[in-house]
Amino acid sequence: MRNIKKKRYLIAFILTVFIFVFGIMVGLVMESQRVQFVQDKAYEQKLDYRSLQFQYQFIDQLSQENNCPVLANALNVNLETLEDTRIRLTNYNLDAKISKDDFEMLYRDYILSQLNYWLLAKKARELCNFELATILYFFSTDKDCPDCGEQAFILTYLKNLFGDKLLNFALNSQFRDEKSLELLMETYSINVFPTLLIEGRKFEGLAEKQTILREICKHYKDMEECY
Amino acid sequence: MIYISELIILIVVFISLYFVVFWLIVFFEQENFSSRRKILRRKPIVSIAIPVYNEEDTITSTLQSVLNLNYPQKKLEIIVVNDGSTDKTEQRVLDMKKKNNFIKLISHKNIGKGASLNRALKVAKGKFFVCLDADSYVHKDALLHLLPHFKDRKVACSLPLMKSKKPLNLLQKMQFTEYLVNIFYKKIMGFLHCIPVAPGPFSVFRKNVLIKLDGYEEDNLTEDLEMTLRLQKHNYKIIQDMKAEVYTTTPLNLKSFFKQRKRWYKGGFFNALKYKKMMFNPKYGDFGIMQLPLLIISGMIGISTVLVTLYTSLKPHVKNLLNLRLVDFDIWTFIQNIRFNFNILDLNFANLIVFLIMFSISILILNLSYKLTRENISKYGRTHIIFFLFFYFFMLGISWILLFPELFQKKQEW
């Protein structure tokens, strides 16, 4: 019969648990930093939006159409930041251990920003005759949307292809508690995912590249990518 | 699935970390890590058995290293067992025998290493029996360091530092490092009498113990491991010496590397099962509780690490590649629009901290291993160290995966 020093096993276990707990604690501290980061971004975006609104009203009310390129540029920069934040927010929310509620509130805030930008983009297009198309992309992160990954891939590709001439707004249907999203989904009877709303026209299920191209190209006068 | 893979990673990391922490505690508990030099007063007869099978390229050098041993030649018995070689091995041995007529040669048809060693054991006259693989070379002072350990009557076996011969390529350099780390671990395991294997190159056994245990198992794929487990079962002590050195040849390419590892792991797996009654059995102390289960747990860790790493790292890329068909494989549009948008908060800090701690421990163990084996960490450059730290575990895991289907074959070939 050999001897076993149980204490040694116990100390090793405690130390291992300690290292893990330390890792988890640091993770939680960083999670609160992430919440703070997204909150700051949301605040920045609100300011940017108000600035854009002012630019729009300035052009509209004082007939300053020569300032349209400035508005177009600002709109694109803001939407790019908005999309980056959306991707980060989605990932942070997936990783979140204790701040899920905070991230979900921020996501609602983000959806509102998106819808505001969507409306502003449509109005700016009319005012300044911008050559651009907008797509509202309704998706679900549930398992009931096996094609959502593919749809997102096609939309990313088209965004890369058309750049600032195409504005994509990705809306997660799981946040339909946000009344503005609920309103939109009811208005357009969005029940299946993915669904695309391209300038008021609805496409249910996976919309292929050619289908989307045909639709958005109606809104461009002379785009090489449409031929 | 993402949650299952995360859970598997957590369990694997926890178990690996637990074992490493455990062995480090044992290490820091020991006051005299380096064994003190013991003087060998009387020089007993030592029988050195060299089983050979088609070793015409190496046998002469191996024999020469034995002849160079700093030990009286009249106290040395060298038994070369030619296990049915079909090349010029026998001729090479006969050439050496002409100059050194005390070399004995036994020749027979191919019967395997275990059986060959038993033939040598049967004729051996020495009090101690040493097995030396024909692709290994021994340092001249090895016996002087290994024999004094037998003053303790419970010691049945003492092991040299098994180092890899001068490495020629990246793979061999990584194995060089691995062997040094293994020596470090074996030394610590020795403190708890937990050494799981006395490898082929120059492990010294008390001959009467080998005979008492009926010699080597002849149809075993890893007869050295099986013998060690039997010694452990009978509560004999196995000592890792830190001065005696032996140099062995390691696989030069991936094919022979995986072949060798598959044989080792298969042997480890089935021998662990053979001695399953010792597993988690407190009667066998730390060996039963910790070391023997580790032979199987290490395989499970290896397989899960490789599979989960491949799954989590490749899945998004595979998906994207498959999705390219949706955009007529127009990769160029994506390439043109690549932009870097890194934020430090995007990192997974919980995993990162655990990873950094494990990495620091690995560096510590690596340094200790090099120091205790008197090697310079930059002797062969540092590139292989980086590869060893980040990719070597992956190669070991792949060896387990390659072996996995064979574990479930009804008829096991040894």
Side-chain angles (χ1 to χ4, degrees):
Chain A
M1 185 78 179
R2 302 192 207 178
N3 290 329
I4 297 176
K5 243 173 127 178
K6 285 182 189 161
K7 205 173 130 190
R8 199 182 278 136
Y9 288 88
L10 191 66
I11 293 172
F13 182 76
I14 291 168
L15 281 175
T16 311
V17 169
F18 175 78
I19 292 170
F20 261 72
V21 170
F22 179 63
I24 290 166
M25 295 295 282
V26 173
L28 294 181
V29 169
M30 296 320 286
E31 195 174 305
S32 62
Q33 291 295 311
R34 283 175 171 185
V35 172
Q36 187 60 50
F37 171 78
V38 182
Q39 275 170 346
D40 291 348
K41 280 277 164 204
Y43 181 67
E44 267 176 46
Q45 271 152 20
K46 280 193 185 92
L47 285 179
D48 289 342
Y49 178 73
R50 282 172 61 191
S51 164
L52 265 183
Q53 253 186 335
F54 168 77
Q55 288 177 50
Y56 171 77
Q57 282 165 355
F58 178 72
I59 295 166
D60 187 25
Q61 287 171 21
L62 302 177
S63 301
Q64 293 284 327
E65 279 80 6
N66 55 332
N67 283 316
C68 277
V70 180
L71 178 68
N73 185 43
L75 184 66
N76 277 301
V77 171
N78 290 4
L79 284 176
E80 212 166 81
T81 320
L82 197 66
E83 179 59 8
D84 288 343
T85 313
R86 181 190 73 82
I87 293 167
R88 276 218 166 90
L89 194 51
T90 309
N91 292 334
Y92 292 175
N93 195 23
L94 279 174
D95 277 354
K97 305 281 185 295
I98 54 163
S99 309
K100 272 230 177 298
D101 290 347
D102 292 333
F103 282 120
E104 286 179 7
M105 288 288 280
L106 285 165
Y107 210 103
R108 278 185 60 191
D109 194 57
Y110 157 80
I111 287 173
L112 272 173
S113 297
Q114 277 216 310
L115 295 177
N116 282 332
Y117 275 109
W118 175 61
L119 287 174
L120 188 64
K122 284 165 88 73
K123 285 201 277 186
R125 181 179 58 189
E126 280 162 26
L127 180 68
C128 296
N129 284 322
F130 287 152
E131 204 180 337
L132 61 84
T134 62
I135 300 179
L136 285 186
Y137 163 46
F138 295 90
F139 69 98
S140 162
T141 42
D142 260 354
K143 282 175 186 163
D144 60 353
C145 185
D147 293 334
C148 282
E150 294 187 350
Q151 190 66 79
F153 188 85
I154 296 172
L155 289 175
T156 308
Y157 168 80
L158 291 172
K159 176 69 189 166
N160 284 335
L161 197 63
F162 287 96
D164 52 14
K165 304 281 181 225
L166 178 66
L167 306 182
N168 290 332
F169 300 89
L171 299 165
N172 189 343
S173 65
Q174 273 153 322
F175 290 91
R176 63 188 309 163
D177 288 352
E178 168 50 48
K179 296 294 171 204
S180 51
L181 180 62
E182 173 79 11
L183 174 76
L184 203 63
M185 287 175 73
E186 278 190 8
T187 308
Y188 291 99
S189 307
I190 311 288
N191 300 310
V192 291
F193 306 102
T195 291
L196 299 184
L197 208 57
I198 307 174
E199 298 300 346
R201 196 165 166 208
K202 192 166 82 171
F203 295 84
E204 290 185 332
L206 178 66
E208 289 184 3
K209 180 187 125 186
Q210 287 307 329
T211 313
I212 304 172
L213 267 179
R214 263 197 305 275
E215 193 57 34
I216 58 175
C217 282
K218 288 177 189 169
H219 301 273
Y220 303 129
K221 287 180 202 133
D222 190 23
M223 285 286 282
E224 192 190 331
E225 288 78 5
C226 289
Y227 299 109
Chain B
M1 186 63 192
I2 186 75
Y3 296 111
I4 295 172
S5 61
E6 272 181 16
L7 189 68
I8 293 172
I9 289 176
L10 273 180
I11 293 170
V12 164
V13 171
F14 189 90
I15 294 173
S16 313
L17 191 61
Y18 177 77
F19 282 122
V20 174
V21 169
F22 179 87
W23 292 122
L24 278 178
I25 289 172
V26 178
F27 170 74
F28 287 114
E29 273 177 359
Q30 306 306 316
E31 284 175 8
N32 301 314
F33 194 83
S34 301
S35 44
R36 268 172 293 169
R37 173 94 195 237
K38 290 170 186 158
I39 308 294
L40 188 67
R41 293 191 203 286
R42 280 188 299 176
K43 302 224 170 24
I45 296 175
V46 178
S47 304
I48 299 172
I50 310 174
V52 288
Y53 177 72
N54 293 347
E55 309 278 3
E56 62 179 10
D57 294 333
T58 55
I59 184 63
T60 309
S61 316
T62 303
L63 268 172
Q64 194 55 56
S65 78
V66 174
L67 292 170
N68 292 343
L69 274 173
N70 193 358
Y71 204 78
Q73 275 197 349
K74 60 179 181 180
K75 300 273 182 167
L76 275 182
E77 183 188 33
I78 303 169
I79 310 165
V80 180
V81 190
N82 178 19
D83 188 22
S85 295
T86 51
D87 62 358
K88 290 177 182 159
T89 304
E90 188 164 318
Q91 191 51 53
R92 300 268 190 276
V93 179
L94 288 170
D95 292 344
M96 293 290 281
K97 194 173 152 57
K98 272 179 205 163
K99 288 175 250 166
N100 307 279
N101 61 359
F102 58 95
I103 295 175
K104 290 176 184 167
L105 174 67
I106 302 172
S107 284
H108 47 63
K109 66 174 174 43
N110 188 262
I111 53 172
K113 191 178 165 191
S116 300
L117 284 170
N118 281 341
R119 295 278 170 101
L121 192 59
K122 215 175 260 180
V123 299
K125 291 193 180 84
K127 189 178 172 189
F128 296 99
F129 185 82
V130 185
C131 167
L132 180 62
D133 289 344
D135 59 354
S136 305
Y137 315 97
V138 61
H139 187 272
K140 63 183 172 58
D141 291 331
L143 274 181
L144 297 179
H145 294 302
L146 289 166
L147 289 174
H149 293 290
F150 290 93
K151 280 179 185 166
D152 180 348
R153 295 225 150 263
K154 284 296 282 177
V155 172
C157 178
S158 65
L159 319 178
L161 299 177
M162 188 171 74
K163 293 184 179 177
S164 134
K165 231 176 62 178
K166 191 182 173 191
L168 301 174
N169 60 15
L170 182 64
L171 179 63
Q172 282 195 323
K173 284 177 187 173
M174 284 195 286
Q175 291 174 88
F176 179 85
T177 304
E178 183 202 14
Y179 278 42
L180 300 186
V181 174
N182 281 347
I183 292 167
F184 171 73
Y185 271 115
K186 268 194 189 162
K187 181 67 187 170
I188 309 176
M189 288 168 190
F191 291 131
L192 302 186
H193 304 298
C194 274
I195 292 177
V197 59
F202 222 71
S203 296
V204 180
F205 291 88
R206 209 183 277 278
K207 194 185 81 180
N208 61 2
V209 173
L210 289 183
I211 290 171
K212 198 172 145 192
L213 297 179
D214 297 326
Y216 289 91
E217 201 172 87
E218 299 195 353
D219 57 354
N220 202 299
L221 190 65
T222 46
E223 75 298 321
D224 46 1
L225 172 70
E226 196 280 334
M227 173 53 76
T228 320
L229 295 183
R230 238 182 313 154
L231 291 177
Q232 290 287 3
K233 190 184 171 190
H234 290 86
N235 292 322
Y236 286 107
K237 280 187 191 171
I238 300 164
I239 303 291
Q240 171 69 57
D241 184 82
M242 294 304 283
K243 290 201 171 72
E245 291 188 6
V246 61
Y247 313 96
T248 193
T249 313
T250 52
L252 196 60
N253 55 50
L254 281 176
K255 194 184 166 193
S256 45
F257 174 81
F258 286 128
K259 191 180 166 194
Q260 182 199 52
R261 296 302 159 133
K262 272 172 67 183
R263 186 175 71 82
W264 287 0
Y265 296 160
K266 192 176 181 179
F269 182 81
F270 284 107
N271 281 312
L273 288 185
K274 187 179 169 192
Y275 290 93
K276 59 179 178 292
K277 283 187 181 165
M278 290 170 74
M279 222 179 274
F280 301 112
N281 188 341
K283 193 176 147 192
Y284 298 100
D286 298 299
F287 186 81
I289 296 291
M290 180 91 162
Q291 193 58 35
L292 193 56
L294 200 56
L295 284 178
I296 290 179
I297 292 172
S298 59
M300 286 156 62
I301 288 177
I303 291 173
S304 3
T305 306
V306 171
L307 291 182
V308 172
T309 310
L310 282 178
Y311 176 79
T312 48
S313 56
L314 292 184
K315 193 188 164 196
H317 301 298
V318 171
K319 258 190 168 176
N320 282 339
L321 279 175
L322 290 173
N323 283 343
L324 278 174
R325 78 192 189 285
L326 301 165
V327 295
D328 307 321
F329 298 96
D330 181 9
I331 301 173
W332 185 237
T333 300
F334 285 106
I335 293 172
Q336 277 178 312
N337 287 282
I338 288 175
R339 61 193 178 95
F340 294 97
N341 183 23
F342 175 74
N343 185 315
I344 191 133
L345 289 172
D346 295 346
L347 297 170
N348 185 332
F349 277 85
N351 291 352
L352 193 69
I353 290 293
V354 176
F355 167 79
L356 283 177
I357 290 171
M358 281 201 78
F359 184 74
S360 313
I361 292 175
S362 306
I363 297 283
L364 171 73
I365 289 173
L366 210 59
N367 271 304
L368 288 170
S369 304
Y370 271 84
K371 194 179 154 198
L372 291 164
T373 51
R374 299 174 297 280
E375 291 290 347
N376 182 347
I377 202 156
S378 54
K379 188 175 174 183
Y380 298 115
R382 288 181 190 266
T383 317
H384 68 285
I385 303 281
I386 293 162
F387 275 84
F388 177 79
L389 285 170
F390 290 100
F391 302 110
Y392 200 67
F393 73 96
F394 210 72
M395 289 167 61
L396 302 183
I398 289 172
S399 310
W400 272 102
I401 289 173
L402 293 172
L403 167 68
F404 199 64
E406 291 180 28
L407 297 179
F408 297 98
Q409 282 170 2
K410 275 190 179 169
K411 193 183 168 198
Q412 289 298 334
E413 284 178 18
W414 284 102

